[in-house]
Each structure stands twice: as structure tokens, then as C-alpha cells.
Amino acid sequence: MKKILSLVFVLACTLVSAQAVRKYSNEFLNIGVDAAALGMANAVTASSNDVNAVYWNPAGILNLQDGQVGAMHASYFANIAQYDYLAYAKPIDDRSAWGISAIRFGVDDIMNTTQLIDEQGNIDYNRISLFSTADYAFMFSYARHLQIEGLSIGANAKVVRRVIGKFANSWGFGFDLGIQFERNGWKFGAMARDITTTYNIWAIDEDEFEKIADAVEGQNQELPESTEITLPKLQLGVSKKHEFHNEMTLLGAINLNCRFEQTNDIISTSAVSIDPAVGFELGYIDLAFIRAGVGNFQNLVEIDGSERLGFQPNVGVGFKYKGIQVDYALTDLGDQSAALYSNIFSLKVDLGIFR
């Protein structure tokens, strides 16, 4: 095992040093899934325990008693961009479980005006065409209980597909590793994303590139780099659920989202930047839920050069009946962050109700 880990580490370091490291590569994979989690500001690394744990922390799918399906749809930027997610997970035996999921973030029917002006310098609207750009991620998850009581581990193997019309496309590959530990009602979690870095290889249509190479003088003169690296990220979480005598529960959770680079996060150094998040869920007889959370703490610079602290408060509700759960979240309540308002719906179904 030590030899394998050493080989992975050396390979990752070699790839990073040889390729282009993008600070915001594959950012669509950081949006999140499940309206219930988004309503809690994504502070669910420790508490995620259903089919959506394939995204938040694959170790959490070990809590499933039967097969479960999860789905979500959201629109961004005034319905210009569509975000969709579908997942399935189920136990293998009393010590292991597996899952599979797919994510798409896309913008369709974009006007291509690169050929708007013909060879004689005339504007010809018939030369306008449409294209789509979309990012896809496909993940296979596996989780297993370890010999230490309360400790479980899970991993994702993911394939990333990105398409920009007929101009360019890429394939990417990466791995995530998640851990959960429970003791005396407290839950702890860690999720390391892109642990070996996620490596994207781009194929660029040079004929299409030539058409726009001289569209703006001095720009687009050279082909973009054909490879890019997504650096690892780490999410740490802790949560605890309190049960009351009137059949009500209160779940509290805290996350520390870490990037190993300097950003606008509230805690930022040259080595690591940390964005905290806090979430709560009030439940009644496991039927109705009210959620709230705040996260995305950023140091924002205004137009006049002044700085302010931006944050993103979220709220949500959920209803569960006979194995079917519907959740809703409204993100960025009060417009306190640089993000836009989003109405998000998700569905979760326990397949055991059909047996």
C-alpha cells in the first residue's frame, strides 16, 4: 500500500509540474447537488447519509437500507444555463455499498456570429449558426465499513466530459476520497476531491480556430493549451442531531472548505484558503423539514475600490412520505454574495416502497 501511495503521489506531482494548473478548472463540479444540502449551505460532509452522498461524501451511502434514486434540476443566469443531476445507490452487503451518478451543466442554442460578415464585408444574418456548450461528469462510488467501530470510507472514480460546440472538447479523469466517523452521536467527515488531481485533455478543432484567429487583432493568435490540471480540495465537517420529546429533531453542521491556493475566501493564505459554512435542519416526525445555512464567505471588492464581506444565506424546506422526499432550496437569500438567486428542486425515492 505504501508503494502504491508513493507512486500515485509522484505521478500527481509530475503531472502538475508538466501541465497547466487552472484555479477554476471543472468548477461546475463545485456547485453541489440536492436541495436539502444546498438549503444548509452545503455543510453536509459529515451528515450526508443517502443517495446524494455519492457527491458529498461517498462513505455516507453505507447508511442506505435499500436502493435509492436521487434527482435534481436547477436553472442559473435567468434560465440561460441548465443544471441536472441523477444518482442511484444501494447496499451490497452489511459492510459495503455502491453508487453511480451523472451531472450535466450546459448552455444550449448559443449564437455563433464568427461568420456574420462575409468575404465582401457585408453582414449576412444567414451565416449565424447555433451551438451548445456542456460539461458532464460521471461518477462511480464505492464505500465500505472499516474494522474500527464507527469508521467508514468511500471513493469516487469520475470521468469528466466537456464540449464547446464543434470548436473543442475534452476528457478528464480523477478520484475523490471520503471518510466518516461517528461516536456518541457526533459525526465527523472529510472529503478530499481530485486527490490525484483531475487531468483534462482537450482536443481543439484547428480549422474552426483558424476562422476566428484574426477576428480581433492581436487576440486568438495561438492555440490554447491542450491539457489542464484541477488541484485537490479538502472539505472537513462535523455534525450532531438532537432529538426532542415532541418528536422534533434539530441537526446542526459545520463545514470548512479548503483550497490549496490563495483566493478571496475569508481565511486566505498562500498555502491554503478556507471558506466556512454552517447549516441547520429542523425536522418533525421525519415528515417535514425546515433548513437554513450560510456559507460562501468572500472578501469582495466594490467598483469604488472598497472591500466588504460577502456571504450566501440559504433556506429550504422538505417533505417526506412513504419513502418519497421532495426538497426545495432558495440560495443567496438577501443577495448578500456575488452569486445569483436560484430556485432548486430535488427528489429522492427509496425503491424499497415498490417491493
Side-chain angles (χ1 to χ4, degrees):
M1 178 60 72
K2 290 183 179 179
K3 292 182 179 180
I4 294 175
L5 291 176
S6 300
L7 178 61
V8 169
F9 178 77
V10 171
L11 178 61
C13 292
T14 302
L15 289 173
V16 170
S17 61
Q19 309 301 330
V21 176
R22 303 297 186 196
K23 181 177 289 189
Y24 299 109
S25 175
N26 293 330
E27 271 302 287
F28 77 103
L29 289 177
N30 295 325
I31 296 174
V33 303
D34 181 28
L38 295 170
M40 295 178 61
N42 302 348
V44 296
T45 301
S47 62
S48 188
N49 60 2
D50 55 26
V51 62
N52 298 307
V54 295
Y55 175 90
W56 295 111
N57 189 333
I61 62 176
L62 289 166
N63 294 278
L64 292 173
Q65 302 300 314
D66 206 328
Q68 193 174 77
V69 173
M72 187 193 82
H73 172 75
S75 297
Y76 290 89
F77 312 117
N79 292 326
I80 294 176
Q82 306 300 317
Y83 182 62
D84 296 285
Y85 158 79
L86 182 65
Y88 170 77
K90 69 169 296 183
I92 298 175
D93 50 38
D94 60 352
R95 296 193 59 82
S96 59
W98 72 278
I100 190 169
S101 57
I103 294 174
R104 180 187 187 271
F105 186 89
V107 179
D108 299 308
D109 297 330
I110 304 170
M111 287 193 296
N112 178 9
T113 60
T114 58
Q115 305 302 308
L116 178 62
I117 301 176
D118 63 21
E119 291 77 5
Q120 288 74 41
N122 301 313
I123 296 177
D124 184 357
Y125 292 102
N126 292 322
R127 295 165 65 91
I128 296 177
S129 59
L130 300 177
F131 71 97
S132 297
T133 176
D135 299 330
Y136 302 88
F138 306 94
M139 293 183 286
F140 177 80
S141 307
Y142 176 79
R144 187 170 182 83
H145 288 294
L146 299 183
Q147 293 183 350
I148 300 175
E149 183 180 357
L151 182 62
S152 57
I153 188 171
N156 290 334
K158 59 188 177 185
V159 177
V160 180
R161 174 67 169 165
R162 307 182 68 185
V163 179
I164 306 175
K166 57 184 177 181
F167 305 102
N169 65 82
S170 78
W171 289 97
F173 307 90
F175 296 90
D176 304 328
L177 180 67
I179 297 174
Q180 286 187 341
F181 178 69
E182 183 174 1
R183 180 64 58 86
N184 299 326
W186 288 90
K187 292 185 177 181
F188 305 88
M191 177 63 168
R193 300 184 183 276
D194 306 302
I195 54 173
T196 58
T197 71
T198 293
Y199 183 60
N200 287 78
I201 305 172
W202 283 92
I204 301 170
D205 190 315
E206 296 190 24
D207 293 333
E208 292 296 326
F209 180 82
E210 286 296 327
K211 296 178 182 179
I212 62 172
D214 298 316
V216 179
E217 186 177 355
Q219 297 185 19
N220 300 324
Q221 300 301 307
E222 298 180 0
L223 284 171
E225 294 171 331
S226 60
T227 57
E228 62 182 9
I229 295 293
T230 304
L231 290 176
K233 293 174 285 292
L234 178 64
Q235 296 171 319
L236 304 173
V238 59
S239 70
K240 185 173 177 59
K241 178 180 284 190
H242 301 272
E243 298 184 358
F244 304 102
H245 296 296
N246 55 357
E247 298 186 284
M248 298 188 71
T249 60
L250 177 63
L251 171 66
I254 299 175
N255 251 40
L256 295 178
N257 305 309
C258 309
R259 288 178 180 264
F260 300 101
E261 55 195 347
Q262 192 157 15
T263 68
N264 289 332
D265 290 340
I266 186 173
I267 303 172
S268 183
T269 68
S270 58
V272 63
S273 297
I274 302 175
D275 170 29
V278 180
F280 298 93
E281 179 187 76
L282 181 65
Y284 177 64
I285 61 172
D286 200 32
L287 175 67
F289 306 90
I290 298 175
R291 306 181 182 97
V294 60
N296 195 25
F297 291 91
Q298 302 284 308
N299 294 311
L300 304 179
V301 179
E302 302 290 357
I303 296 177
D304 60 4
S306 62
E307 295 186 2
R308 70 176 179 90
L309 176 63
F311 56 93
Q312 185 171 332
N314 301 343
V315 295
V317 295
F319 301 94
K320 181 179 179 181
Y321 182 69
K322 291 186 177 180
I324 299 176
Q325 182 169 333
V326 178
D327 295 295
Y328 165 78
L330 173 62
T331 64
D332 193 24
L333 181 70
D335 196 24
Q336 295 295 318
S337 78
L340 300 176
Y341 295 99
S342 293
N343 296 284
I344 300 168
F345 295 89
S346 66
L347 174 69
K348 204 165 48 179
V349 179
D350 293 318
L351 299 183
I353 65 174
F354 298 108
R355 291 186 174 84

